[in-house]
């Protein structure tokens, strides 16, 4: 079965403003995110990509644009099932405000029980994304063969949930996974099991440098802004 290259969108204006974007329209890449997207064709240059799949949200489409310009032979498909989690009433709110909501503790410690007011549950988010990947795996294998490689641009919580699915981890453990903006995660699927061969690879170790203010113990809902 194919190898899936998961790309989280580049850093967005919502990331730098500390907002939980969700499906809020008009959230674009910031200057750094645009630079990250511009570097993506070079990072993936050696891979014989056969298809490109994108979340419908602007920040993902902008992330893939330089890659598609560099590879005009690639067809891009939009799939709502790999769009961001529907955060409902939380969408567009500041993460600093949301941390005091009682639900945030559930999101951190027991996400399989978390459902956003006016939105969807994290369980439903993972289910739709995993179903999308399985269908795309079958389609890519049918059209391009079992050794095909394809790219999918999505969001932090979506990618973390797909990694958990590939590793057989309960969704309650997915907050232990970290994927920074424009990071690359690769999963090779086989008949019997998936293999996680890259996780959150940015080629940049800046985020590992100790900071004056230590990182928070909680996982950043939506994925966080990455290295400062």
């Amino acid at each position: 079965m194919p190898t899936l290259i998961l790309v989280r969108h580049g850093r967005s204006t919502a990331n730098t403003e500390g907002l939980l974007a969700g499906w809020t329209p008009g959230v674009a890449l910031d200057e750094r995110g645009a630079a990250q997207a511009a570097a993506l064709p070079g990072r993936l240059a050696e891979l014989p990509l056969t298809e490109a799949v994108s979340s419908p949200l602007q920040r993902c489409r902008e992330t893939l644009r330089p890659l598609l310009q560099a590879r005009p032979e690639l067809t891009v498909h939009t799939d709502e099932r790999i769009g961001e989690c529907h955060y409902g009433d939380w969408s567009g709110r500041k993460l600093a405000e949301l941390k005091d909501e009682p639900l945030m503790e559930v999101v951190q410690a027991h996400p399989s029980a978390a459902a956003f007011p006016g939105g969807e549950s994290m369980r439903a988010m993972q289910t739709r994304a995993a179903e999308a990947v399985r269908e795309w795996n079958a389609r890519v294998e049918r059209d391009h063969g079992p050794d095909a490689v394809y790219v999918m641009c999505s969001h932090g919580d979506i990618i973390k949930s797909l990694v958990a699915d590939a590793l057989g981890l309960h969704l309650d453990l997915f907050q232990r996974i970290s994927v920074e903006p424009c990071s690359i995660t690769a999963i090779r699927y086989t008949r019997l099991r998936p293999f996680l061969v890259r996780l959150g690879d940015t080629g940049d170790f800046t985020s590992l440098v100790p900071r004056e203010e230590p990182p928070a113990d909680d996982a950043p809902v939506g994925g966080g802004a990455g290295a400062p």
Side-chain angles (χ1 to χ4, degrees):
M1 295 178 70
T3 296
L4 169 61
I5 307 300
L6 284 161
V7 178
R8 185 184 166 200
H9 62 79
R11 197 174 75 175
S12 73
T13 53
N15 292 145
T16 48
E17 292 169 11
L19 300 177
L20 185 61
W23 284 70
T24 304
V27 177
L29 298 183
D30 67 6
E31 185 176 350
R32 179 171 179 172
Q36 291 170 332
L40 193 59
R43 294 170 64 198
L44 299 179
E46 299 301 318
L47 297 181
L49 299 174
T50 57
E51 302 278 1
V53 187
S54 178
S55 156
L57 295 172
Q58 178 179 342
R59 52 199 184 272
C60 287
R61 291 186 282 109
E62 289 180 350
T63 299
L64 279 185
R65 188 174 297 151
L67 178 65
L68 297 173
Q69 291 171 344
R71 301 204 191 189
E73 75 281 2
L74 269 183
T75 300
V76 62
H77 310 270
T78 300
D79 194 325
E80 290 198 357
R81 294 173 297 175
I82 62 164
E84 180 63 284
C85 184
H86 291 277
Y87 295 117
D89 297 344
W90 280 26
S91 299
R93 292 182 60 188
K94 285 193 171 292
L95 289 163
E97 299 171 359
L98 292 170
K99 68 181 178 61
D100 295 324
E101 293 278 355
L103 177 60
M104 183 60 85
E105 186 177 12
V106 182
V107 170
Q108 292 293 326
H110 191 19
S112 65
F116 296 97
E120 70 178 333
S121 68
M122 302 198 90
R123 200 170 54 254
M125 173 199 74
Q126 183 187 44
T127 297
R128 64 172 164 86
E131 286 178 350
V133 165
R134 282 164 174 75
E135 288 182 21
W136 277 106
N137 283 347
R139 178 172 172 173
V140 169
E141 181 173 13
R142 181 197 68 205
D143 294 346
H144 303 285
D147 297 323
V149 182
Y150 71 108
V151 64
M152 181 177 281
C153 187
S154 188
H155 307 266
D157 282 349
I158 294 287
I159 294 172
K160 287 162 56 178
S161 74
L162 289 171
V163 170
D165 175 76
L167 292 176
L169 290 177
H170 196 283
L171 184 61
D172 286 345
L173 300 178
F174 101 127
Q175 297 290 28
R176 302 182 183 196
I177 298 166
S178 175
V179 288
E180 292 198 1
C182 223
S183 62
I184 293 172
T185 295
I187 303 172
R188 186 173 74 247
Y189 289 87
T190 72
R191 187 173 66 87
L192 297 181
R193 65 183 65 85
F195 292 89
L196 178 66
V197 292
R198 292 287 189 281
L199 176 61
D201 188 342
T202 63
D204 179 3
F205 296 99
T206 306
S207 63
L208 302 181
V209 176
R211 306 179 193 176
E212 291 183 10
E213 184 176 322
D217 291 334
D218 286 344
V221 180

